[in-house]
Every structure is written in structure tokens, then in C-alpha cells.
Amino acid sequence: MVYKLSHSKFTLTILVVLFFIPLSYSQTKKIKRPKSNVGISSVDNFVRESFDLYDKVYKYDGYAEAGTSLEDEDIDTLEEALDDITGLSESAPDILSDLDGQNVLKQGKATLQINKSKKALKYSIKTAKELLLGERKGKEEKSDNGNNTKSDKNTDSETSEDDDSNQNEEEKEENISDNLEIYSKFDYVPGDKLIFFEDFSQGFVGDFPARWNTNGSGEIVRINKVKGNWLQLKLGYNIYIIPDIKNLPEDYTIEFDVVAEGINKQTSSNARLSIILSDNDKFNRGTNHYADVGIPFGQYAAFEFRVVNYFNGDGGAINSGVKGDIRKEVLNQPHISISVTKKRLRLWVNQVKHVDIPRLIEELNVLNYMKFHISSFIDGKEFIFISNIKVAEGGVDLRRKLLSEGKISTNGILFDSGSKNIKPQSYGIIRQISQVLLQDENISLNIIGHTDADGDDDTNMRLSKSRAEAVKQALITVYKIDAGRLTSEGKGETEPLGDNATTEGKAQNRRVEFIKQ
């Protein structure tokens, strides 16, 4: 049977074809997402997150091709996506190590999907940057979405080298003497004038804490096998948790403990806890000025600390990812320490410094507030809790004060609750004391421990004595100070500096004194 096409129908067909051809090829042909999983969780997560981000950028690229201008919210979304894409792209070498021991077919399928994802990420990085800079044009040739065999080969070569390096690092056994060496070099020193302290001991379980604010939710909880009360941070769009702190000084420190539950290799590469220094106490990053440091929790590769600043209503000079493998640390109740000294910001996880940016704070005396924010965790399955938040004004060099005044008192030497065990983050102060003793061998010190009023008098007296003795032994064993130059005693709760009825008062009373003899 022969069909005849009328002249009018033929003309209409031609017009439809001519109309749709430019639209079909005006934007780069979309890379197809793999339809099936490989069966290796780290690879499947990498592929899924790569294409989630790719789809987001591709959508905004389509807007640009259609001549639709981007709104402020679109730009914010693209900036965040670009950060995530960059971090995810750099995690690819770590994922390849998970192919070891897999059968040949699974390795082949995984390699194909990883390379396809890398191609999508490469397009996304280039396109997102061009969109943000206003350089994306409809007729521009997008060659990065095509094949680039040479580039892929180079990348794979570099990946295998990084793989071997990471594997060798993982094979190293931990040695307890290595930890003592880390302690001896740990240079974090907390501020000496307490601004804010919160362990949620004064709040009721199930309630949101009284001295905090949020635009979402959160509650005080108790965690099985973990001492004390904790604030559970809740997920949600643009949710911020803000302590009642105002007028942060130029020099100060921030410390807090973190408990993470439900974190595993399925956890997103973008899962982060952010600490934001802001020019307002509103539910956003900031109005005209802010600095943001994000701590990574992803487990299937080593991801980055995200550091961003924004000043004078314009993009700041810093938008970076700092590599740091803290996968084990975030699963084991890490202690976070942050030091702000004028324009410089440093961040430690336990005793290891990961961020040290000398000019992150571009304008002084404008970042007066701090905020917490979590993102990309799975609601109902992954949980983040914080406690023991301590903010203290710094600026006093304990070494100079001890030499000039003959004594110092600090509440920066911390101990496990009801114990003489010194917390590792306290060694920065002990190290400074050791430097004074090493500088002048004629100096001898008496170390005096003090407690708050919790517990009975006799118990507190014994505890204060044992803590002072523990500090003395740390100076002897870790820093090699002659035992004959040190004495110790305890005064329990007999000489309080603050009100034992308040959380801050108790924190002030738990202190250690060093007095020249």
C-alpha cells in the first residue's frame, strides 16, 4: 500500500522539523544517567550524587540557552552546587580503591560508570562557573561534554598513584608514642575569658534550649553510652541553630563536642556541619559579611572542609576545599577547636589542625554572631548532636603572664567528667607552661586544682588534688620537665570565682592555677 503526502502536510512537516532542530542542538546533548547500580556502595553513591548535581547544572544551563536570566536564589543554588561538584570530583581517586577484590565484570561496569560520572562532573564545573560569571552563551560550543580519551587516561593514571598512597597510609599501625608526640606539638590555646558555655545540663530533655534560637527545630536529648545532655540538630531547608552570643571580640576561641549517629558509606559526600560567623543573628549566613567553615562527614571517601567568606555584600576572596581525612574521627565523638585571631582562623579536629587561613576575616569587628547549620544528612537515619560549647575571649599569652605576674589561672585544661583524665585538647596550654619552664630552668611551679560545687566536699577535694597531679605528670612525661621543679595540690570547691548555680559559673570554677615558687 502506497501513502501519498499532501502538499500542505509536507510543508507543515518541514516547518516542524526546522523549528525543532535548533532547539534540539542548542544545548549540549545530555549525558544519560546509568540505569542500574554496580553493587559497590561507594561507587553507586558517587555516580548518583554526580548525576544529581549534573542534572541541577544542566537545568540552569537550559535556562541560559532559553535566554532566561537567573534569580538570586538560582545563583545561590549554583554556588553551592559548584562547591559540592568540586569536592565530589576530587573524591574520585579514593573510590577506585574500593574496586580491589571485585570480579572482573563488576570492576569493568564500575569503571565505565565512574568515567561517565567524571565526564558529567567536568561539564558541570565548567558550565556552573560560566553561568555564575555570565559567560554562558547559547551558541557556545560545549566540547567538554564530548569524549576526551587522553584526559580520562591521565586522570586514571593520577588516580592509581593517589590510590597507592592512600593504601600505604591506611596500612600504618597506630603507635601510642605517636599520640604523645602529637600532644606535645598541639598548639591550640583556648581563650582565657569565658563568653559562653553550654552543656545543656540546665535544660529539660525534649525541650529546645532556652539560650538558643532556631527557625526550625532541635531538642535536648540523652544518648545511650554517652555522658551528659546533647542538642540534636534538625535538618531542613536553610535551618540555623543560633546561640545567644553577641559582639564576638577580635580574638576568641570556640570549642564543642560532636556525636554522629547513623553515619556510614551511604552518607552523602555533601553531608557537613557548618560553623558560620555572621554579621547578624537572623536565619541566613549573613547580610553583608560572613565566614563559613563546613566539616565533612561522608565516609566512602576523604572529603573536604569547605571554607567560604563573603564581605561587603560581594563575594569574598576565599571559596576553597581543604582536604582532610576525618572519617574515623567524626564517628568517635570528636572535639572541634576554632581559634580566631584578628583576620586569621584555625580549626582543629581533636589534636590535628586542618584549616589555617591567615586572612579569612576580611573586615574586623563585623562578625558578631555564630551559627550552626547541617546539610545533606538523611532525615530520620543520620543524626548530629553537639554539646560542651565553649566560647572564650583570647588575646592573653599565658607564657608572658606567668613570667610577668608569677601566676596564671586557666579553665582551658579540661578533664573527663568526675575524672583526673586530661582531655587531649588541653595540651596546648600545658605545652605553653612547659615552654616557660624550658626557657628558664630556675623557675619552679606549684599546680593547684579547683572544682565546681557538684558533689560532696571530700570528693571534690580528692578530685582537685588528683587533677593537679595529672597536669604535673603530663609536664614530666610528655614535655620532660624535671619532677623536682613541680609540686601539686587541690582546693576542691573552696575558692569559687563564679556562681555555682549557673553553667558559666561552674565552668569558671573548674580551673587550674600555676604559681611560681
Side-chain angles (χ1 to χ4, degrees):
M1 186 179 292
V2 178
Y3 292 96
K4 293 184 180 180
L5 184 67
S6 69
H7 177 76
S8 59
K9 288 183 178 179
F10 178 77
T11 303
L12 179 61
T13 302
I14 294 297
L15 287 173
V16 169
V17 170
L18 288 174
F19 179 77
F20 278 104
I21 283 177
L23 290 179
S24 300
Y25 291 92
S26 61
Q27 189 180 4
T28 305
K29 185 178 179 181
K30 191 171 185 179
I31 302 173
K32 291 184 179 180
R33 180 192 293 258
K35 294 182 179 179
S36 60
N37 290 336
V38 174
I40 303 171
S41 60
S42 59
V43 174
D44 291 335
N45 280 337
F46 176 77
V47 173
R48 173 176 52 79
E49 293 187 10
S50 296
F51 276 90
D52 286 348
L53 291 167
Y54 169 78
D55 289 343
K56 189 179 294 185
V57 174
Y58 193 85
K59 178 183 75 173
Y60 286 117
D61 191 19
Y63 292 168
E65 293 288 354
T68 304
S69 59
L70 299 181
E71 303 293 338
D72 289 343
E73 290 182 3
D74 300 331
I75 293 171
D76 290 343
T77 302
L78 267 176
E79 286 178 342
E80 291 179 5
L82 182 58
D83 287 344
D84 295 338
I85 293 162
T86 304
L88 194 60
S89 182
E90 293 181 1
S91 72
D94 299 316
I95 295 165
L96 286 175
S97 61
D98 292 342
L99 303 188
D100 295 340
Q102 303 289 339
N103 64 56
V104 175
L105 290 176
K106 188 170 282 190
Q107 284 187 353
K109 184 177 181 181
T111 302
L112 287 172
Q113 290 199 11
I114 289 171
N115 285 339
K116 197 171 189 180
S117 300
K118 285 160 63 178
K119 198 176 295 182
L121 289 172
K122 186 177 180 182
Y123 159 86
S124 300
I125 290 173
K126 181 176 185 294
T127 303
K129 287 180 178 178
E130 290 176 349
L131 288 169
L132 289 169
L133 293 172
E135 297 175 353
R136 198 69 176 164
K137 297 179 180 179
K139 295 181 179 180
E140 183 179 59
E141 182 180 356
K142 302 176 180 67
S143 60
D144 285 314
N145 209 22
N147 294 325
N148 193 337
T149 307
K150 183 178 180 180
S151 174
D152 287 342
K153 286 182 179 179
N154 290 341
T155 304
D156 293 341
S157 174
E158 291 167 7
T159 298
S160 62
E161 290 177 8
D162 289 343
D163 242 7
D164 294 338
S165 173
N166 290 338
Q167 196 171 15
N168 290 337
E169 288 179 8
E170 291 175 1
E171 289 173 358
K172 292 180 181 178
E173 293 184 1
E174 185 178 8
N175 188 323
I176 188 64
S177 63
D178 292 339
N179 286 334
L180 291 176
E181 183 67 17
I182 290 172
Y183 292 167
S184 71
K185 294 179 179 178
F186 181 47
D187 58 350
Y188 171 78
V189 177
D192 55 290
K193 182 180 178 182
L194 193 64
I195 297 173
F196 180 89
F197 182 80
E198 179 69 270
D199 60 3
F200 306 107
S201 60
Q202 304 295 310
F204 293 101
V205 171
D207 283 355
F208 189 81
R211 299 188 301 151
W212 294 67
N213 195 18
T214 184
N215 59 332
S217 185
E219 62 179 322
I220 298 173
V221 300
R222 286 182 183 157
I223 305 170
N224 187 33
K225 297 182 181 179
V226 181
K227 292 182 179 180
N229 289 351
W230 295 76
L231 174 61
Q232 180 181 347
L233 305 182
K234 291 296 184 75
L235 279 168
Y237 176 71
N238 276 344
I239 300 298
Y240 295 87
I241 309 287
I242 307 174
D244 287 347
I245 300 173
K246 297 180 180 180
N247 300 320
L248 286 168
E250 288 187 355
D251 301 324
Y252 59 95
T253 57
I254 301 168
E255 297 178 67
F256 59 94
D257 295 318
V258 181
V259 169
E261 288 192 353
I263 306 300
N264 53 45
K265 285 200 172 183
Q266 303 294 326
T267 299
S268 170
S269 61
N270 302 315
R272 282 178 175 78
L273 165 61
S274 293
I275 302 93
I276 303 164
L277 307 177
S278 176
D279 63 352
N280 69 39
D281 59 355
K282 309 302 180 184
F283 302 118
N284 52 42
R285 280 174 158 184
T287 304
N288 295 307
H289 318 280
Y290 65 78
D292 184 337
V293 182
I295 301 169
F297 282 76
Q299 292 293 304
Y300 66 84
F303 297 109
E304 300 171 327
F305 292 79
R306 295 285 171 76
V307 187
V308 178
N309 70 355
Y310 181 88
F311 283 89
N312 298 312
D314 197 3
I318 306 297
N319 185 355
S320 57
V322 182
K323 201 77 168 182
D325 190 351
I326 58 169
R327 284 174 286 181
K328 291 181 180 178
E329 286 83 349
V330 297
L331 298 180
N332 292 283
Q333 196 175 329
H335 184 78
I336 309 301
S337 307
I338 299 171
S339 174
V340 176
T341 310
K342 304 290 188 294
K343 295 186 175 184
R344 181 185 187 187
L345 183 142
R346 291 171 288 167
L347 180 146
W348 293 260
V349 177
N350 294 334
Q351 295 77 50
V352 179
K353 182 168 64 178
H354 290 278
V355 176
D356 189 348
I357 299 180
R359 295 176 185 171
L360 180 67
I361 315 298
E362 294 183 12
E363 295 284 340
L364 297 178
N365 303 312
V366 295
L367 303 183
N368 295 316
Y369 304 90
M370 65 172 289
K371 308 173 185 182
F372 292 93
H373 172 72
I374 59 172
S375 58
S376 299
F377 293 93
I378 300 174
D379 191 27
K381 293 184 178 180
E382 298 170 344
F383 306 93
I384 299 297
F385 311 87
I386 60 173
S387 191
N388 303 314
I389 300 96
K390 177 184 174 184
V391 182
E393 186 171 358
V396 176
D397 188 323
L398 298 180
R399 295 166 295 187
R400 296 180 188 275
K401 188 173 182 179
L402 180 56
L403 287 171
S404 62
E405 298 181 14
K407 65 178 183 179
I408 58 168
S409 176
T410 176
N411 53 27
I413 298 179
L414 306 177
F415 302 85
D416 291 337
S417 179
S419 167
K420 67 178 181 180
N421 296 329
I422 303 172
K423 290 190 174 183
Q425 60 265 28
S426 306
Y427 278 83
I429 291 179
I430 300 174
R431 178 173 179 260
Q432 281 202 352
I433 301 301
S434 75
Q435 290 171 336
V436 173
L437 293 166
L438 291 170
Q439 179 179 317
D440 188 344
E441 295 184 355
N442 295 317
I443 293 178
S444 296
L445 290 179
N446 185 32
I447 305 166
I448 306 172
H450 299 266
T451 69
D452 59 30
D454 289 351
D456 61 70
D457 294 354
D458 291 341
T459 299
N460 286 335
M461 185 61 70
R462 288 194 301 271
L463 183 60
S464 65
K465 289 179 179 179
S466 64
R467 286 177 169 178
E469 180 64 22
V471 174
K472 172 185 168 182
Q473 291 303 318
L475 286 166
I476 295 168
T477 57
V478 179
Y479 298 101
K480 313 304 179 188
I481 303 300
D482 185 351
R485 301 171 62 191
L486 303 170
T487 58
S488 66
E489 63 176 298
K491 294 193 176 182
E493 61 186 78
T494 61
E495 297 181 3
L497 294 178
D499 183 357
N500 274 306
T502 68
T503 303
E504 278 93 350
K506 289 180 181 180
Q508 285 179 317
N509 294 334
R510 296 189 295 267
R511 66 192 191 280
V512 177
E513 283 186 283
F514 298 88
I515 300 176
K516 285 170 64 175
Q517 294 178 315

